[in-house]
Amino acid sequence: MKKYIKTAIIIFLCGAVFFVSAFLYLNFSLKESKIKTDNTEKNIPYFDYPQNCGILLCLPDEKKVMFYLDFEQEISYIINIDNYYDNLDSYVGYPIDYKISADYYTLSLVFDRVGGIDMEIDENVLRYTGIQVCDMLALNDSSEFRLKVISAFCERLAKRGFSAEDFKYLISRCDTDLKMPICLYWQDYVKSMFENTVFVNWET
């Protein structure tokens, strides 16, 4: 009888040691797993910036301006391109990813979509409609005046932004290889990028 009791006690103690060891191991493993999971969540990027890109705007009279959009740094570079060749895919280190060709009428409609633009002419700051601005551009094709118009347009974008509907309208009215899905998320960055505008290769 004592032999059976002794055997039962030994089995009980061994079982207790086994279950306690298993419990402690599982508890430790769960804590380690939770720590790893928490660290992984912190390192996962929840969004990606849109890809930086260069847009070549082809104006009437073979005038061309390049917009390089740096989404990560939230900076827009406005680059004057006086001598441009069709086989060129970059300019002074800025890649040309998309092209937009627009006539004066289309430009006037885009200017109106942002509410016109404010410019100082004859020492008076006035808001001009798209037609007024394009009429002046047709008469004055100097680099200095184009810079004034583009600078005023950038200021409007910094204040108002450019919505998905604006991009859709621009694409539908222009000859361009830019597609709507590409610029769908750009609208969230327009204001901040055009608050930080850098003009490259302009003579004033």
Side-chain angles (χ1 to χ4, degrees):
M1 185 68 178
K2 289 182 180 181
K3 183 178 179 181
Y4 290 117
I5 293 174
K6 185 177 180 181
T7 302
I9 291 173
I10 292 173
I11 293 173
F12 175 77
L13 291 175
C14 290
V17 170
F18 173 78
F19 283 113
V20 169
S21 299
F23 174 78
L24 292 175
Y25 175 77
L26 288 174
N27 188 47
F28 177 78
S29 297
L30 287 173
K31 287 182 179 180
E32 285 291 310
S33 177
K34 186 176 184 303
I35 292 172
K36 290 180 180 179
T37 303
D38 290 343
N39 289 336
T40 303
E41 287 177 353
K42 291 179 181 178
N43 294 328
I44 294 176
Y46 289 96
F47 69 94
D48 289 325
Y49 292 102
Q51 185 175 357
N52 298 343
C53 65
I55 302 172
L56 180 67
L57 175 61
C58 302
L59 301 169
D61 302 324
E62 297 186 354
K63 302 297 183 182
K64 296 175 176 65
V65 179
M66 181 177 171
F67 291 74
Y68 184 76
L69 308 179
D70 188 331
F71 294 97
E72 189 170 354
Q73 300 297 324
E74 297 189 7
I75 299 174
S76 60
Y77 296 88
I78 316 300
I79 306 156
N80 183 28
I81 299 180
D82 291 324
N83 298 316
Y84 174 78
Y85 302 94
D86 290 338
N87 62 347
L88 193 66
D89 59 3
S90 65
Y91 187 82
V92 292
Y94 298 98
I96 298 172
D97 301 291
Y98 308 103
K99 297 178 183 178
I100 299 176
S101 297
D103 55 25
Y104 282 131
Y105 179 66
T106 300
L107 284 177
S108 71
L109 297 177
V110 173
F111 290 151
D112 287 338
R113 284 190 72 88
V114 298
I117 59 177
D118 302 327
M119 291 193 301
E120 182 180 348
I121 297 178
D122 297 329
E123 298 182 354
N124 294 314
V125 178
L126 300 174
R127 179 163 298 176
Y128 293 87
T129 65
I131 288 294
Q132 290 175 315
V133 174
C134 289
D135 283 344
M136 289 186 286
L137 277 171
L139 295 173
N140 186 352
D141 64 349
S142 68
S143 177
E144 183 178 355
F145 187 70
R146 273 186 290 130
L147 174 59
K148 181 180 289 189
V149 172
I150 294 171
S151 178
F153 180 63
C154 290
E155 289 177 4
R156 290 297 294 168
L157 292 180
K159 293 177 181 178
R160 180 193 177 277
F162 208 69
S163 68
E165 286 300 315
D166 293 329
F167 280 114
K168 183 178 179 180
Y169 183 83
L170 176 67
I171 291 172
S172 68
R173 302 286 307 197
C174 297
D175 180 15
T176 179
D177 56 356
L178 182 62
K179 305 298 182 183
M180 190 59 205
I182 297 172
C183 54
L184 184 61
Y185 300 102
W186 291 4
Q187 60 180 329
D188 297 330
Y189 298 87
V190 170
K191 285 186 177 181
S192 57
M193 280 197 303
F194 283 91
E195 286 175 353
N196 299 299
T197 299
V198 178
F199 293 94
V200 180
N201 199 29
W202 293 89
E203 295 180 3
T204 57

